[in-house]
Amino acid sequence: MKPKIAFFDFASCEGCQLAILNCEDILLDILNLVELVEFREALSETAPRYDVAFIEGSIHRDEDIERLRNIRARATYLVALGACACNGNVQARSNFVAPAVNYGEVYGDEARNRVQVDPDHWGLWSHTRVRPLDAVVKVDAYLRGCPVVPQEFLHLVKSLLQGTQPFFPPNAVCVDCKMNENECVLERGLTCMGPVTWGGCNSICVNKGYVCDGCRGTLPHANVEAHIELMREHKIDDRDIRSRYRLFMGAEPIGRGV
Amino acid sequence: MSYYLATQKEIVDWIRRLAAENRLYFPEKHGAASYRFTRVGPGSDIQFDHYTPTVVPPVKLLVPAREELLHFRTDADGKTEVQPSLDTSFRIIAGVRSCDLKGIFLMDLFFREGVPDAYYLARRENTAIIGYACNTPCDERAFCAAVDSLDHTEGADVYITPVKGGDLLVEVKTKLGEKLTDGVDWKPCEDGAARRIGAVTARPEPFGRTFPAALPEISKIVEKNYESPVWDKHVKRCFSCGTCNLVCPTCYCFDVADDLHLDVASGNRTRSWDGCMLPHFAEVGGGHNFRPEPAARQRHRVNRKFTYLPEKFEHGAACVGCGRCGRQCTSHIDIFDIVTDLIQEGAR
Amino acid sequence: MKTGTEYYHQLARDTFMPQPGRIVEIADMTAKDRYFRVELEKPLGHHPGQFVMVSVMGVGEAPISISNGPGKDNTLEMVIRRIGRLTQVLHDLKVGDTLGIRGPYGSGFDPANFYGRDVLFVAGGLGLVPLRSLITPVVAEANRFGKITLISGCRNPSEELYRDQLDEWTDAGIEVIRLVDGTENMPWKFGVGLVTEPIPKLKLDPEKTVAALCGPPVMYKFVITALGARGVSYDQIYVDLERRMKCGVGKCGHCQINKIYCCQDGPVFRFSDLALLPEALL
């Protein structure tokens, strides 16, 4: 029997689901192997049970938590799909801004004042605590990146079909860069999150002439102290260093600690 | 063995002729200050000028970052047929500096020893190498002279040395070299050996960085300093990113992984570059890691270059002094500095 | 030196291509350890203590200890713990399925080195699996050896391997000391304690004793210390080590222990030969 897979999204741009839909050349082959029961970007159904639930997006509100727990209860295997689900992504930067300031920035002072005095709207303040999935439920596998890497998605699907776990080596982006013979961005006088960031992305940003912004989250063995020192040597001030860490890693302990 | 004298232009034209008929690789500028061994096409820029060692050494053409070892297909009856995937195509690598020639020479030793490696040796046998001498150090990180690779020419089929007057001295070293230079109209050079010595003696002295100890001593010092604060000192800034391994001309450790195609019936087994500085290199299935600390991994790497492999292969050092590891390390942790520290530590 | 395309093709096949092995028996030993008996196309021709590379094409390959004693038939016995990507898939295989086998690899024990001596085996957890390849031929020729003793320890009663085999060896007159770290409220009629604990009280003549050890990395130092305290000479202690391996032929580098390669120079070592290899034991 084909495994039933489902896609769900929380606070996200749905770009990861799009990244998967974009694998047009192999999408039909994948659909031969699995039964897609929920996919907001593609169709709309509900099922009582999922073999694999792919979840995109970060968790903000109380109702998100409830919905996520509900999916977890129905899913045998739960995959965090993309940077929002794995490490909070850019929206977690709002964790460092006072809720009222944030609200005022987005909706203006008048709206903010109204919301502050109206108890019916107080639930909105929970928006301001952005969490990755694993802050709420057990996550079985992480597909990192903003967006996810199709090859990693494929590896995960194939592994599960074979009855085993996917394996993503905890190596820095530097490994991908060397495999691609990239000139180190430091040679261009720039700085990079690559040495502390989970690789496996095929160093796509550096290949294209940009630097690594760390969208795949910090490695478990990341030498953050040395990395900060390195940034300082390149005349990056501490405020900017903090900002670089919080760009994608704001909901991670490291991003909070810098 | 025969010698010719040729002009820069004659050599470049010759390279272009070879490239028109063969898969030929040459160091080409890439990025702000780097070079890559790149397949030469009609529009390629070929310059024998000064360059710093390429990001990745030319041995990548003999040990690619990823290579297929086996491919398989399972038929409807469940019978699986497995076949090796061997690359026996011919290629020419030109502009290979002595440090990288030495790297390939050492790789030849490593892959021939014990159970010979079919994949490496099949490529190697079908590879022609055109070497190029350095008359000045490429940059301040080189220490090729200190590890006896500055004058390494073995393994090259043709070896080119710039000589006084701006001409290039071409040394044809093998039968394959003769084939590559068949029909050239360069001026034969009777006193080639003497001219080569002339170029060598005109080099700056010392050439690049030198160790405060001789090579045989260094092996003993590194071995003796198995327990040393030096190992901890340098890894403070280490990211365990494996760059030093991946850019090393004599690192050949590999990982093996399978891939199943989406037909769920065929697939392949590939090997890819791995490195002993990567955190999980020595971790077994049960989760035990035999080198969990970066310092232990660093010590292993340095020992491989200066004691383990030299002892096994009875060769001075398995480090060719190209300087890539220190140059490309984001924290500029330099194996030269580590070894120098160990020597000074030993002298204390 | 041989060269040529045909030679390299043959070399690649000989080195990396697995031979098919058909699973003829599977038995659960514990909740996570499963016994496999595999029928090969030709005899394995192995020494005790050697290993094979087991693979499922499309999933991967891993080193697995050979558990049966040397023999002329085509049998390979293994006990595989469900621990990683490959072993998960191996656990899903059924009798009649095929897996890939390369090897045997590594050095092994030579039982002839033990003739006339008292033999002590110390096994911790999965260590009993490779040791069985040596215990079997020793027990089969018990009259050529002195006293034969096996200390076998595991975490708790549910994790004991080869229970029937341990009974058989006991019946054959071998002193088998069966231990668990703790009973964890499970029925258990044997001893409780670490494998080191019986060593001081063992009836053994240190001059005549040869010991073979296999177990988790933390075990060796303690057992060797206990044996040393009894006066057993270090060149009479053999250890069977575990390392990560990707090739089995001394190239991939993962199994390196200082200057030696576990896959070629080991996995069985005389302890006195490890004196200059600080990475060998914890």
Side-chain angles (χ1 to χ4, degrees):
Chain A
M1 210 170 66
K2 290 183 188 175
K4 287 182 171 36
I5 70 167
F7 287 80
F8 301 94
D9 51 87
F10 289 82
S12 65
C13 70
E14 300 185 18
C16 289
Q17 292 180 62
L18 197 62
I20 291 164
L21 281 179
N22 276 344
C23 314
E24 287 160 356
D25 46 337
I26 48 164
L27 202 58
L28 289 178
D29 292 324
I30 299 173
L31 291 175
N32 277 335
L33 302 171
V34 299
E35 186 188 342
L36 193 57
V37 292
E38 286 194 31
F39 199 128
R40 161 102 176 263
E41 290 272 358
L43 50 108
S44 185
E45 266 183 56
T46 50
R49 191 185 64 78
Y50 318 106
D51 292 305
V52 190
F54 291 92
I55 300 183
E56 190 179 353
S58 54
I59 305 304
H60 297 218
R61 304 165 301 177
D62 293 343
E63 51 260 54
D64 294 342
I65 294 176
E66 209 165 306
R67 182 171 162 235
L68 178 60
R69 286 192 178 136
N70 189 298
I71 298 168
R72 174 72 267 192
R74 287 188 287 159
T76 311
Y77 198 84
L78 188 142
V79 182
L81 185 73
C84 304
C86 291
N87 44 291
N89 210 341
V90 288
Q91 56 267 40
R93 285 174 76 112
S94 64
N95 287 0
F96 303 99
V97 184
V101 173
N102 224 350
Y103 205 91
E105 288 265 323
V106 179
Y107 298 107
D109 289 346
E110 199 192 327
R112 182 198 62 200
N113 293 341
R114 205 166 49 235
V115 167
Q116 274 182 314
V117 296
D118 182 356
D120 285 347
H121 285 83
W122 287 355
L124 288 171
W125 297 121
S126 65
H127 267 274
T128 49
R129 217 179 119 217
V130 179
R131 280 154 288 186
L133 302 189
D134 62 8
V136 178
V137 295
K138 179 177 173 282
V139 172
D140 298 302
Y142 298 83
L143 286 173
R144 296 169 185 280
C146 181
V148 290
V149 177
Q151 286 78 3
E152 291 196 328
F153 169 76
L154 262 182
H155 169 69
L156 181 134
V157 170
K158 289 176 189 172
S159 297
L160 296 180
L161 283 168
Q162 288 173 315
T164 189
Q165 299 271 334
F167 175 66
F168 304 108
N171 292 335
V173 174
C174 304
V175 170
D176 299 81
C177 263
K178 295 304 151 324
M179 294 243 183
N180 286 316
E181 295 180 65
N182 284 333
E183 175 181 60
C184 185
V185 302
L186 295 168
E187 292 282 336
R188 308 204 308 262
L190 303 171
T191 55
C192 181
M193 297 300 284
V196 293
T197 301
W198 272 90
C201 50
N202 196 28
S203 59
I204 181 165
C205 298
V206 185
N207 300 356
K208 302 285 181 203
Y210 189 55
V211 302
C212 172
D213 270 339
C215 74
R216 294 168 62 84
T218 36
L219 283 161
H221 63 267
N223 189 345
V224 174
E225 221 169 282
H227 188 246
I228 290 173
E229 207 42 57
L230 181 74
M231 304 259 264
R232 284 178 184 150
E233 282 167 19
H234 279 77
K235 308 272 182 283
I236 311 281
D237 69 34
D238 284 13
R239 204 173 144 267
D240 286 347
I241 293 173
R242 195 179 305 125
S243 171
R244 296 283 292 275
Y245 266 90
R246 287 179 179 177
L247 180 57
F248 282 100
M249 303 166 184
E252 287 189 65
I254 283 172
R256 290 201 296 271
V258 169
Chain B
M1 175 118 61
S2 51
Y3 289 97
Y4 295 97
L5 268 183
T7 61
Q8 288 254 3
K9 185 178 179 309
E10 283 173 324
I11 293 296
V12 170
D13 288 346
W14 171 60
I15 298 275
R16 286 202 189 282
R17 278 203 306 278
L18 289 173
E21 288 162 18
N22 301 281
R23 210 142 51 90
L24 186 145
Y25 298 84
F26 194 85
E28 195 174 57
K29 189 125 193 266
H30 145 73
S34 303
Y35 293 83
R36 263 182 195 172
F37 274 92
T38 310
R39 171 104 192 250
V40 171
S44 297
D45 185 25
I46 300 172
Q47 288 188 30
F48 275 100
D49 289 350
H50 178 93
Y51 80 93
T52 48
T54 46
V55 173
V56 160
V59 77
K60 69 168 184 177
L61 296 161
L62 303 171
V63 189
R66 284 180 198 84
E67 70 174 315
E68 191 175 284
L69 294 178
L70 306 169
H71 55 274
F72 69 93
R73 174 170 291 283
T74 304
D75 62 22
D77 305 328
K79 209 174 143 40
T80 302
E81 188 181 305
V82 188
Q83 283 300 329
S85 321
L86 217 56
D87 176 4
T88 54
S89 60
F90 181 71
R91 81 216 67 199
I92 302 170
I93 319 176
V96 179
R97 304 284 171 148
S98 278
C99 54
D100 285 338
L101 265 181
K102 172 85 169 284
I104 293 172
F105 165 81
L106 288 167
M107 289 293 217
D108 289 352
L109 293 182
F110 305 155
F111 281 113
R112 275 184 192 137
E113 177 266 342
V115 179
D117 189 86
Y119 301 87
Y120 178 87
L121 296 177
R123 279 203 188 84
R124 182 69 182 91
E125 191 179 302
N126 292 294
T127 300
I129 300 177
I130 300 168
Y132 193 81
C134 295
N135 286 348
T136 50
C138 50
D139 70 3
E140 74 287 355
R141 293 230 175 238
F143 55 101
C144 45
V147 287
D148 285 347
S149 58
L150 175 56
D151 284 311
H152 188 96
T153 61
E154 197 177 336
D157 298 289
V158 176
Y159 191 79
I160 300 170
T161 309
V163 290
K164 219 159 74 185
D167 279 345
L168 299 175
L169 177 72
V170 184
E171 188 178 345
V172 180
K173 291 169 59 68
T174 64
K175 280 221 162 60
L176 186 54
E178 282 172 15
K179 230 173 102 184
L180 295 181
T181 52
D182 190 31
V184 295
D185 53 0
W186 309 328
K187 199 164 54 176
C189 182
E190 297 296 325
D191 59 346
R195 278 174 189 261
R196 162 99 181 117
I197 291 168
V200 165
T201 48
R203 287 187 312 222
E205 185 68 39
F207 192 97
R209 296 186 289 178
T210 50
F211 288 122
L215 207 44
E217 283 306 304
I218 291 174
S219 270
K220 288 183 204 134
I221 290 165
V222 173
E223 191 167 12
K224 207 179 74 197
N225 281 280
Y226 192 80
E227 301 292 344
S228 164
V230 173
W231 303 120
D232 291 314
K233 176 184 161 189
H234 290 269
V235 293
K236 283 208 174 72
R237 294 177 295 145
C238 176
F239 296 113
S240 299
C241 72
T243 293
C244 48
N245 294 135
L246 301 171
V247 302
C248 177
T250 66
C251 269
Y252 60 98
C253 290
F254 57 83
D255 189 23
V256 178
D258 283 20
D259 187 31
L260 182 71
H261 297 155
L262 279 170
D263 61 6
V264 209
S266 64
N268 57 21
R269 177 163 292 168
T270 58
R271 69 175 170 193
S272 52
W273 295 346
D274 207 341
C276 61
M277 287 305 294
L278 295 170
H280 294 262
F281 184 78
E283 188 175 297
V284 291
H288 185 80
N289 191 339
F290 287 92
R291 274 183 227 106
E293 298 299 327
R297 298 196 290 272
Q298 184 77 273
R299 175 170 65 195
H300 183 72
R301 178 174 80 97
V302 176
N303 269 284
R304 249 178 95 91
K305 301 302 173 202
F306 287 94
T307 72
Y308 303 157
L309 292 176
E311 189 182 317
K312 183 167 181 175
F313 294 95
E314 296 173 348
H315 196 88
C319 167
V320 299
C322 65
R324 281 188 179 89
C325 53
R327 198 178 291 120
Q328 296 195 51
C329 173
T330 43
S331 292
H332 292 309
I333 302 169
D334 194 324
I335 198 164
F336 181 89
D337 297 337
I338 299 173
V339 172
T340 304
D341 278 359
L342 288 169
I343 295 167
Q344 281 158 358
E345 187 74 19
R348 206 172 289 154
Chain C
M1 203 182 71
K2 277 186 246 162
T3 58
T5 303
E6 204 27 65
Y7 165 70
Y8 292 128
H9 269 281
Q10 191 55 46
L11 183 58
R13 275 192 286 269
D14 292 347
T15 314
F16 285 109
M17 222 167 83
Q19 299 305 313
R22 204 171 60 89
I23 300 172
V24 290
E25 188 188 342
I26 296 176
D28 279 336
M29 287 213 150
T30 73
K32 55 190 177 188
D33 302 303
R34 196 165 280 185
Y35 165 90
F36 291 84
R37 191 155 58 83
V38 174
E39 199 83 17
L40 302 168
E41 285 176 351
K42 52 181 199 289
L44 197 55
H46 69 284
H47 303 292
Q50 283 193 297
F51 66 95
V52 285
M53 296 297 286
V54 176
S55 65
V56 175
M57 292 308 294
V59 181
E61 197 177 38
I64 305 281
S65 303
I66 301 168
S67 193
N68 50 320
K72 290 192 168 51
D73 62 356
N74 297 5
T75 304
L76 163 66
E77 291 176 85
M78 303 175 285
V79 175
I80 295 169
R81 177 164 290 181
R82 195 185 170 97
I83 222 165
R85 277 176 55 72
L86 176 69
T87 53
Q88 285 189 27
V89 174
L90 290 173
H91 270 228
D92 288 341
L93 295 180
K94 294 173 187 63
V95 169
D97 285 347
T98 304
L99 37 71
I101 303 290
R102 285 199 288 137
Y105 292 117
S107 67
F109 297 98
D110 183 358
N113 286 340
F114 299 1
Y115 285 163
R117 309 189 71 93
D118 291 343
V119 189
L120 169 65
F121 299 103
V122 182
L126 266 180
L128 184 60
V129 175
L131 270 189
R132 179 174 174 265
S133 69
L134 176 62
I135 301 172
T136 308
V138 168
V139 172
E141 293 188 292
N143 56 340
R144 305 191 74 151
F145 302 90
K147 185 172 180 297
I148 304 169
T149 311
L150 164 64
I151 305 173
S152 169
C154 55
R155 205 165 294 162
N156 64 50
S158 75
E159 293 198 6
E160 194 183 47
L161 301 166
Y162 282 123
R163 290 177 195 118
D164 298 344
Q165 179 82 76
L166 292 170
D167 290 342
E168 280 169 34
W169 287 334
T170 308
D171 295 343
I174 312 301
E175 185 182 359
V176 180
I177 302 168
R178 296 162 74 163
L179 297 168
V180 289
D181 296 350
T183 61
E184 297 177 23
N185 297 324
M186 286 177 252
W188 178 248
K189 54 184 179 177
F190 306 102
V192 175
L194 300 171
V195 290
T196 45
E197 288 169 22
I199 294 173
K201 295 161 286 185
L202 281 181
K203 279 199 214 107
L204 64 80
D205 176 358
E207 299 281 304
K208 265 185 69 188
T209 300
V210 57
L213 281 46
C214 190
V218 293
M219 185 193 91
Y220 294 97
K221 207 169 70 186
F222 295 105
V223 173
I224 290 163
T225 307
L227 289 172
R230 290 295 309 270
V232 178
S233 147
Y234 284 164
D235 60 8
Q236 291 304 315
I237 299 173
Y238 291 81
V239 295
D240 187 348
L241 302 182
E242 181 198 12
R243 285 298 185 278
R244 186 172 170 207
M245 293 172 190
K246 284 290 180 178
C247 73
V249 292
K251 295 282 188 283
C252 81
H254 287 93
C255 73
Q256 208 176 351
I257 302 170
N258 296 109
K259 62 183 174 188
I260 59 107
Y261 284 83
C262 191
C263 72
Q264 301 231 288
D265 305 306
V268 175
F269 298 92
R270 200 189 271 255
F271 178 62
S272 50
D273 293 339
L274 297 177
L276 293 172
L277 305 176
E279 286 185 336
L281 303 177
L282 284 186

